[in-house]
Amino acid sequence: MKKALVSVTGVDKPGIIAKVSTALYELDVNVLEISQTILDGYFTMLMIVDVTSASVEFSAIAEKLNLVGQELGEVVNIQRADIFDAMHRI
Amino acid sequence: MIEVNEILQTMQMIHEQHFDIRTITMGISLFSCKGSTDRETADAVYSKVTRMAKNLVPVGESLEQELGIPIVNKRISVTPVSMISGENPALIAKALDEAARDVGVNLIGGYGALMHKGSTRAEEILLESMPEVFRDTERLCGSVNVGSTKSGINMDAVRKMGHVIKRTATLTADSDGFGCAKIVVFANAVEDNPFMAGAFHGPGEPECVVNVGVSGPGVVERALKAVRGKPFDILAETIKRTAFKITRVGELVAQEAAARLGVPYGIVDLSLAPTPARGDSVAYILQEMGLEKAGAPGTTAALAMLNDMVKKGGVMASSHVGGLSGAFIPVSEDIGMIESAQVGCLTLEKLEAMTCVCSVGLDMIAIPGDTSANTIAGIIADEAAIGMVNNKTTAVRVIPAPGKKAGDTVNFGGLFGYAPIMPVNAYGNDAFVERGGRIPAPLHSLRN
């Protein structure tokens, strides 16, 4: 399984999860886990997703999410989860 | 499953504490490029470097995007040019500079020589050519190894490097002697260092290799904030844990980059390399340990511990640790060092002491423009002696800024930063430097 982290930061408003998960669904990216917090006044959502059977390249997922972010007025990024495993798991 | 707080910690390291991969450096052997003339060699060098490193920048950029960590520099190191050059090494210099520009790397290292025991004719010619070459090229860097623990110090090379640095400063006077920032004089140079300006691809290295340099002084500083007032044992443990995490990311990037470029993975250099940005300073780590400013009494001890703990944490995190691995103390590239130097807390002599216990040496130090070539040679000899006796790498990268005197400031821009001119002890040493010959290798028993 190729795991990735989608992070959404910005101001809280309705429809963030809906829009981001719709975009992921359209790219055949499966959402494994969602957590959401307000950190230092900022809305922060972290989604662990599975990109194994995504219909497009990783860079295209990133591009699509960036667009969704612009529509929402949030910062939406995706990165491979490997860096977290490397740093926090032996 | 990864915990949310772990994800946030990593993201804070990257976004707030300046944690980054400082460089992916591709080492390329130039031995196969030797032609019957320097022109032929230069053409072969250009074609080999642009072929091998064609994908270096795109691969670096895609890794940066996918892993979500900045990879600040993509660079190239090559075989010391004096090993393949003849009467006109400047032709090869030009080819390397053009190759670097065409593949999109900001620096390429290796215009240098290994002459710790003596020099060949090609090495002598290359040394002569250095000032003009560093005036006429943009991205090329070079280093010369003048001493080693096993062979002693080549004092002829030391003397000549004093003159090379002096002349390079004069020829690049319009940029405050910036050409000198691209010249490193080493003792015990390592063959797999990914950091510029001292990177070169040693003769013992394979055809092509990928080395990665990590950095993260800001991350260490932040971690130490949480253990203020605690004893050294806890301080040491905290540095180790942080270094481990940083290095693991370096290892991941090195493995991935090597696989994608189709070349062997060489080493991870687990250095704390500062930049002039606030919060990316090794001096601030020392201050967080409890010193008012870097340079205060206790600085050498603090740095010794920092350097050792970075290594201890890092070695377990990577399958191959190499390069210079430790804490760098370049003055102009570290905001805390600059501040200490400005108020006179950090002097050349204190820095010399600090180089006994940390990686590398007197780095990016601006000195008065009227400093003589022999005085510079004396500084090089002192530093090389520290390296030789202590079995460690030491280096000198000083910039005698033309027309400037102690207290003035020079600004090199970007990652090279700015620096106050440090006063230099100007008592004479001509008769010492001009003796020539070699200082014999030191004894390795009866140590005390």
Side-chain angles (χ1 to χ4, degrees):
Chain A
M1 195 193 302
K2 281 194 210 158
K3 280 192 288 183
L5 173 84
V6 176
S7 61
V8 183
T9 50
V11 182
D12 194 14
K13 60 167 79 83
I16 297 177
I17 295 183
K19 291 236 167 84
V20 173
S21 26
T22 306
L24 293 171
Y25 165 70
E26 284 165 5
L27 300 169
D28 292 322
V29 175
N30 187 28
V31 177
L32 302 172
E33 196 182 315
I34 301 183
S35 83
Q36 192 189 311
T37 48
I38 305 288
L39 196 76
D40 299 333
Y42 273 96
F43 170 80
T44 306
M45 181 173 78
L46 303 173
M47 297 173 121
I48 305 282
V49 299
D50 175 9
V51 293
T52 317
S53 39
S55 54
V56 294
E57 293 277 302
F58 194 88
S59 56
I61 306 178
E63 217 167 284
K64 171 81 182 167
L65 289 175
N66 266 326
L67 279 179
V68 172
Q70 279 168 24
E71 283 167 25
L72 280 167
E74 312 280 328
V75 179
V76 185
N77 283 317
I78 183 165
Q79 62 193 103
R80 281 168 41 192
D82 306 50
I83 192 169
F84 307 104
D85 282 316
M87 202 179 258
H88 300 285
R89 296 288 177 273
I90 297 175
Chain B
M1 209 48 136
I2 297 294
E3 309 280 336
V4 171
N5 62 352
E6 292 169 335
I7 292 174
L8 292 176
Q9 185 194 44
T10 302
M11 292 176 92
Q12 274 169 357
M13 281 183 181
I14 295 167
H15 300 298
E16 291 167 26
Q17 298 156 27
H18 302 278
F19 172 42
D20 53 45
I21 299 296
R22 185 53 49 82
T23 181
I24 297 183
T25 303
M26 177 181 265
I28 302 171
S29 169
L30 297 184
F31 285 126
S32 65
C33 302
K34 174 102 177 97
S36 52
T37 63
D38 287 316
R39 182 72 268 158
E40 270 181 36
T41 306
D43 292 343
V45 163
Y46 177 85
S47 115
K48 182 165 187 180
V49 171
T50 48
R51 188 177 73 247
M52 305 292 271
K54 185 175 63 194
N55 293 327
L56 178 60
V57 172
V59 162
E61 283 170 355
S62 66
L63 274 177
E64 189 170 17
Q65 189 195 37
E66 286 179 31
L67 296 175
I69 180 154
I71 299 172
V72 182
N73 297 301
K74 295 90 188 169
R75 291 170 168 172
I76 298 170
S77 63
V78 296
T79 309
V81 167
S82 60
M83 292 183 165
I84 56 158
S85 65
E87 300 295 320
N88 198 352
L91 289 174
I92 303 168
K94 196 157 172 287
L96 286 168
D97 200 43
E98 283 168 4
R101 185 196 61 208
D102 292 349
V103 297
V105 300
N106 58 356
L107 294 174
I108 184 165
Y111 195 74
L114 304 177
M115 38 204 296
H116 37 281
K117 200 161 177 200
S119 54
T120 63
R121 186 172 150 69
E123 285 166 343
E124 294 287 335
I125 295 169
L126 183 128
L127 236 58
E128 278 290 306
S129 76
M130 280 180 132
E132 279 79 14
V133 159
F134 290 119
R135 176 195 61 195
D136 298 338
T137 56
E138 185 195 348
R139 300 167 194 238
L140 189 62
C141 296
S143 58
V144 174
N145 195 49
V146 298
S148 80
T149 300
K150 288 218 156 63
S151 60
I153 302 173
N154 177 351
M155 287 299 289
D156 291 315
V158 168
R159 178 176 52 79
K160 283 177 189 154
M161 285 315 292
H163 287 280
V164 166
I165 289 169
K166 192 71 186 157
R167 199 149 63 88
T168 306
T170 309
L171 292 183
T172 55
D174 53 347
S175 56
D176 289 330
F178 181 63
C180 300
K182 298 187 273 184
I183 304 176
V184 182
V185 188
F186 277 117
N188 289 323
V190 291
E191 302 197 355
D192 52 8
N193 160 31
F195 285 102
M196 293 296 170
F200 66 91
H201 186 71
E205 294 285 302
E207 188 69 20
C208 188
V209 74
V210 166
N211 298 319
V212 165
V214 297
S215 185
V219 180
V220 176
E221 186 200 343
R222 177 64 69 93
L224 294 189
K225 273 194 179 26
V227 295
R228 272 190 190 163
K230 299 277 194 312
F232 282 104
D233 318 70
I234 292 172
L235 197 59
E237 189 63 24
T238 308
I239 299 169
K240 256 185 352 191
R241 282 168 189 263
T242 312
F244 176 83
K245 289 180 181 173
I246 292 173
T247 311
R248 288 277 282 186
V249 178
E251 173 81 5
L252 172 68
V253 170
Q255 301 267 13
E256 288 265 346
R260 289 188 195 190
L261 290 163
V263 298
Y265 148 46
I267 56 98
V268 172
D269 186 319
L270 44 96
S271 286
L272 293 181
T275 68
R278 197 155 280 279
D280 203 16
S281 157
V282 169
Y284 283 179
I285 299 176
L286 304 177
Q287 287 171 215
E288 186 52 51
M289 286 184 183
L291 300 164
E292 187 183 348
K293 285 237 174 282
T299 299
T300 310
L303 188 60
M305 192 189 74
L306 174 65
N307 200 53
D308 189 50
M309 292 307 141
V310 165
K311 289 179 193 171
K312 283 176 178 162
V315 285
M316 192 185 151
S318 168
S319 45
H320 298 286
V321 170
L324 299 167
S325 288
F328 289 177
I329 51 169
V331 175
S332 78
E333 298 171 359
D334 186 315
I335 184 75
M337 296 287 178
I338 294 168
E339 289 166 354
S340 287
Q342 273 166 341
V343 298
C345 176
L346 191 62
T347 60
L348 203 56
E349 287 72 20
K350 186 63 181 178
L351 279 162
E352 186 179 318
M354 289 159 74
T355 65
C356 300
V357 298
C358 78
S359 80
V360 206
L362 295 174
D363 195 15
M364 287 305 285
I365 297 172
I367 56 175
D370 62 1
T371 309
S372 75
N374 281 348
T375 297
I376 295 171
I379 293 171
I380 295 171
D382 285 344
E383 212 39 45
I386 289 170
M388 172 181 80
V389 169
N390 295 305
N391 212 346
K392 74 182 288 292
T393 305
T394 50
V396 173
R397 182 163 53 146
V398 292
I399 299 105
K404 297 281 170 98
K405 52 186 192 312
D408 293 348
T409 298
V410 288
N411 192 348
F412 302 119
L415 280 179
F416 290 99
Y418 64 100
I421 307 274
M422 285 185 148
V424 170
N425 183 330
Y427 280 94
N429 62 0
D430 293 348
F432 178 78
V433 170
E434 282 161 16
R435 279 174 187 274
R438 283 189 284 144
I439 294 180
L443 188 65
H444 288 291
S445 57
L446 312 174
R447 292 189 73 119
N448 39 45

